[in-house]
Every structure is written in structure tokens, then in C-alpha cells.
Amino acid sequence: MKRMTVVFLAFLFVFAGFAFSKTYIVGTSADFPPFEYVQNGRYVGFDMDLIQAIGKVEGFQVEIRDMSFDSLIPALKSGIIDIAIAGMTITPDRLQVVDFSDPYWSADQDVIVKKNSDYNLAVLFGNNKVGVQTGTTGDLWVSDNLIKTGILKHIVRYESFIYALQALINGEVNAVVLDSPVAQRFAQTQPVSIVGVIITNENYGIAVNKGNKTLLDMINDGLAKVKASGQLSQLVDKYFGK
Ligand code: ARG
């Protein structure tokens, strides 16, 4: 073979490689340890590793976009992102506008207060201020069950759980309602304690735009393979193990 031909073929190979491995834009809200958070300027966590692992078995690359949790569904709808993975609960309302993968985790809602404060579950009543992340199931639960009924006077919505946690520690709100696995992580690493559990029986799924069946099938297939290979339980040990 002539040298030029060899060089040409080598180029073709490299380009074909790029062309065939598609990159999907994956949205998250990186304020939710151990599912997604920032460490040394990188997006890490259970969800981040999970979507990478699914991409690997299904032959696609992922590029992470961090945004506020309540922007994820609009971003899926408008095509700014292809996939959302953010400890997102599969709810009937969300199912109207996006499609979800098979569930990969389950959670309830926990009530956390500042450590060594005198608050108990009664913090959810009366004149107290309860913080939530905007648009989350915690926000919906507090709004529907406590605010609309007049049981609680004040809800404070934060774009990020990082801000909600900060506000709790600074005494700007009396409690925060958030997903149990994340509350447990914060209780281990921050000066906060859990004073109650609200059983909501939530399941997390990976979301795609409604009707994007090709991508959804690929994600479900990848999820099943990552489970079957034992990789999923390795991730559980990595992020939830002692
Ligand atoms: N599971 C809750 C929901 O779907 C909270 C998710 C918040 N996720 C996050 N990455 N901040 O509404």
C-alpha cells in the first residue's frame, strides 16, 4: 500500500470512531450527595457513575450539564439535554411530559433540623419556616399537605440543596424536607439531624423526552446489563458502603 493510502485509511478510522460513538448531553443538579455532587471541580456520584456505565455498555459518551433541578424537565423538552439523571422521582405529573427508565433507587422524605436544636417533628407546624428545593417532591409534599391546609405558615424554596442546607445551618429556616438517602448523607457530614420520616415511597428513574423510545430502550437495556454484571452493586458499595 502506498504511504498516502495508509495515512488516509488511518484518518478514516479515527473519524469513523468519532462519528459512531454518539455523545448525549446529560443534565443533573449537582447538589445531591451521594447521587450527584461536585468534588475537586468534577461532577461525581452514584448517578454520574451509573450513566457513564450505561453509556459504556451501550456505546455512547456522556457530557454532564449542571443546572437547577426545576430546569431539568424544561431542558429535556426543549432539547438542551438528552437525558436527565438527578435522583429524579417518577411521578404521574412528570410522566405526562417525559418518559422514565425502569426505577433504580427508592426513597422517602426526611425532615432535618440543625444539630442540637430542640426541634422535633412539630417543626412542620405553625409559624416555622421549612426549606425545600424548588420543584422537588419535597416541595410538593410540603406545599400540598402543610401550606395549602394552613398547618404551616412558611415554605422557603431554594434553587439548590446546598443553599437550603446553608440556610438551615445559619438559622434562616427551622427545618428542611428532602429525600431520605441525601438527608442521611448530610446527617453524617454536616451539623444537622433527622427528626422525622415522611413515607412517600418514591422511585428514581432516568428521564428522556417523551417519545424518545430509542434512547429510553438503550438506557433500560444498559441499566439491566449494569445490574446483571454486578457493576451496580459495586456502585452501591462505593457510594453507600461503610
Ligand atoms: N427525588 C426528588 C424529586 O424528584 C428530589 C430530587 C432532587 N435532585 C437533585 N439532584 N437535586 O423531586
Side-chain angles (χ1 to χ4, degrees):
M1 243 189 292
K2 285 223 185 74
R3 222 182 101 189
M4 283 300 275
T5 322
V6 173
V7 171
F8 175 74
L9 283 177
F11 266 112
L12 202 68
F13 228 72
V14 171
F15 277 117
F18 273 122
F20 288 125
S21 107
K22 180 151 177 52
T23 298
Y24 286 114
I25 311 291
V26 176
T28 196
S29 171
D31 59 350
F32 207 59
F35 294 96
E36 42 266 337
Y37 53 105
V38 181
Q39 195 171 62
N40 304 323
R42 290 180 33 145
Y43 300 118
V44 296
F46 182 87
D47 284 349
M48 302 295 94
D49 282 4
L50 177 59
I51 196 65
Q52 293 281 357
I54 293 174
K56 205 155 192 182
V57 294
E58 296 296 318
F60 63 80
Q61 315 264 341
V62 307
E63 193 184 309
I64 304 296
R65 287 281 159 81
D66 187 22
M67 54 186 75
S68 65
F69 184 77
D70 65 332
S71 305
L72 288 168
I73 289 183
L76 273 179
K77 303 292 320 162
S78 63
I80 292 173
I81 59 173
D82 304 297
I83 300 170
I85 185 162
M88 192 184 276
T89 303
I90 306 169
T91 69
D93 280 352
R94 291 175 183 161
L95 277 169
Q96 305 269 320
V97 284
V98 295
D99 286 334
F100 280 100
S101 71
D102 297 329
Y104 67 90
W105 204 265
S106 51
D108 292 303
Q109 295 293 311
D110 278 5
V111 183
I112 59 172
V113 298
K114 194 169 163 177
K115 204 176 184 148
N116 301 324
S117 66
D118 290 333
Y119 290 115
N120 54 30
L121 205 52
V123 72
L124 296 182
F125 295 81
N127 215 9
N128 288 314
K129 289 192 179 124
V130 175
V132 294
Q133 184 181 32
T134 312
T136 55
T137 45
D139 180 0
L140 291 177
W141 195 89
V142 174
S143 303
D144 288 348
N145 296 284
L146 304 179
I147 298 292
K148 281 184 192 154
T149 52
I151 292 173
L152 173 75
K153 288 256 172 55
H154 316 282
I155 182 169
V156 188
R157 297 188 174 88
Y158 295 93
E159 193 179 294
S160 161
F161 271 126
I162 307 297
Y163 302 147
L165 197 72
Q166 214 68 63
L168 182 65
I169 294 166
N170 294 341
E172 290 156 35
V173 292
N174 309 101
V176 169
V177 172
L178 81 169
D179 296 43
S180 44
V182 179
Q184 282 159 22
R185 179 53 46 99
F186 283 150
Q188 287 163 4
T189 59
Q190 308 285 330
V192 299
S193 359
I194 298 171
V195 291
V197 186
I198 303 157
I199 305 295
T200 49
N201 288 317
E202 300 176 41
N203 284 305
Y204 295 171
I206 303 168
V208 300
N209 199 0
K210 191 136 206 77
N212 194 347
K213 189 170 168 0
T214 321
L215 183 53
L216 190 65
D217 287 349
M218 213 156 43
I219 291 173
N220 276 330
D221 185 70
L223 188 58
K225 284 181 177 144
V226 166
K227 237 185 232 175
S229 70
Q231 249 181 301
L232 193 73
S233 37
Q234 279 170 18
L235 286 186
V236 175
D237 286 348
K238 177 172 172 190
Y239 289 103
F240 295 89
K242 304 270 127 69

